[in-house]
Amino acid sequence: MDTMGAIGAGIAIAAENLFPPLPSEVILPLAGFTASRGDMHLAAAIIWTTVGSVVGALIWYAVGAAVGRDRTRGILARLPLVKMADVDKAEAWFGKHGVKTIFFGRMIPIFRSFISIPAGVERMSLPVFLLFTALGSAIWNTVFILLGYQLGQNWDAVEQYVGILQYAVIAAVIVAVVAFVVLRIRSNRRDRERARHRVRRQEPR
């Protein structure tokens, strides 16, 4: 993050929006921590990560508006870590609550990527979409960046206690990420296999 700077943090957050479920909950505190060490301006970190969030959301909005629901779902189904049940929930939530889901959806993991799709499919007013996306993203990003910033500000007080603990945390994060990826891929494979079986049963004999 030191070498990437605020713009790099924004690019990482845009990627998190485009390729869910990459964890912004890791990227954002790291940006805040880097800012606390003087390698990045705090305001720049918040601004650029929010820009990244909006850009990532806008791309999915544009895809939904350009190719429609079915083709967009086809694209998502090919992404190895995407669970279509999450997409279904985002669509249902948007269908029930409309515009406010864009604001609140930006603060819900995984949903913040998918909620842009029904907005695009339904051709929600672009200025309204951008406004609520920016507001929700700014709140979410600011909270996590400030958490990382506060940790960095108090690092001298906790550094002596970190030692072995930091390696344990890193190992735990790696194991958790690997386990999540493996379980998500297996779950998606099972879902696709069930879908194939349903299609076969419905085919005329």
Side-chain angles (χ1 to χ4, degrees):
M1 191 69 73
D2 294 16
T3 56
M4 291 169 63
I7 296 177
I11 293 172
I13 291 299
E16 180 263 340
N17 279 265
L18 287 173
F19 304 105
L22 294 177
S24 67
E25 295 85 350
V26 174
I27 299 169
L28 294 170
L30 182 57
F33 182 86
T34 303
S36 74
R37 313 308 288 175
D39 299 312
M40 182 191 307
H41 197 283
L42 178 61
I46 294 172
I47 291 169
W48 279 106
T49 54
T50 300
V51 169
S53 296
V54 173
V55 169
L58 184 59
I59 291 174
W60 277 123
Y61 174 97
V63 171
V67 304
R69 178 178 183 270
D70 292 340
R71 289 184 179 179
T72 303
R73 288 176 63 87
I75 294 170
L76 289 168
R78 294 186 182 94
L79 298 179
L81 299 182
V82 171
K83 196 168 180 63
M84 294 308 293
D86 294 331
V87 180
D88 295 337
K89 291 175 184 176
E91 289 181 338
W93 196 34
F94 180 85
K96 184 176 181 180
H97 298 288
V99 174
K100 63 184 178 183
T101 61
I102 302 302
F103 174 75
F104 291 107
R106 300 307 304 171
M107 293 176 272
I108 301 176
I110 299 180
F111 274 82
R112 62 174 161 267
S113 296
F114 299 141
I115 204 64
S116 303
I117 296 168
V121 170
E122 297 297 328
R123 303 295 179 92
M124 173 186 283
S125 167
L126 185 56
V128 172
F129 173 79
L130 292 175
L131 173 63
F132 283 101
T133 296
L135 289 175
S137 298
I139 293 172
W140 176 266
N141 294 352
T142 299
V143 168
F144 279 90
I145 287 173
L146 288 179
L147 287 173
Y149 187 84
Q150 287 300 318
L151 175 62
Q153 290 286 83
N154 296 285
W155 186 250
D156 292 338
V158 301
E159 187 175 15
Q160 59 180 317
Y161 303 107
V162 175
I164 297 174
L165 180 61
Q166 68 177 340
Y167 296 106
V169 171
I170 292 171
V173 169
I174 292 173
V175 170
V177 170
V178 171
F180 174 81
V181 170
V182 170
L183 291 174
R184 181 57 69 99
I185 291 174
R186 286 181 176 176
S187 176
N188 285 350
R189 285 177 179 171
R190 285 195 299 268
D191 290 344
R192 292 188 183 109
E193 193 61 32
R194 291 192 193 103
R196 290 193 195 100
H197 287 317
R198 284 196 296 270
V199 170
R200 288 170 187 162
R201 285 198 298 268
Q202 292 170 1
E203 289 177 350
R205 297 182 181 276

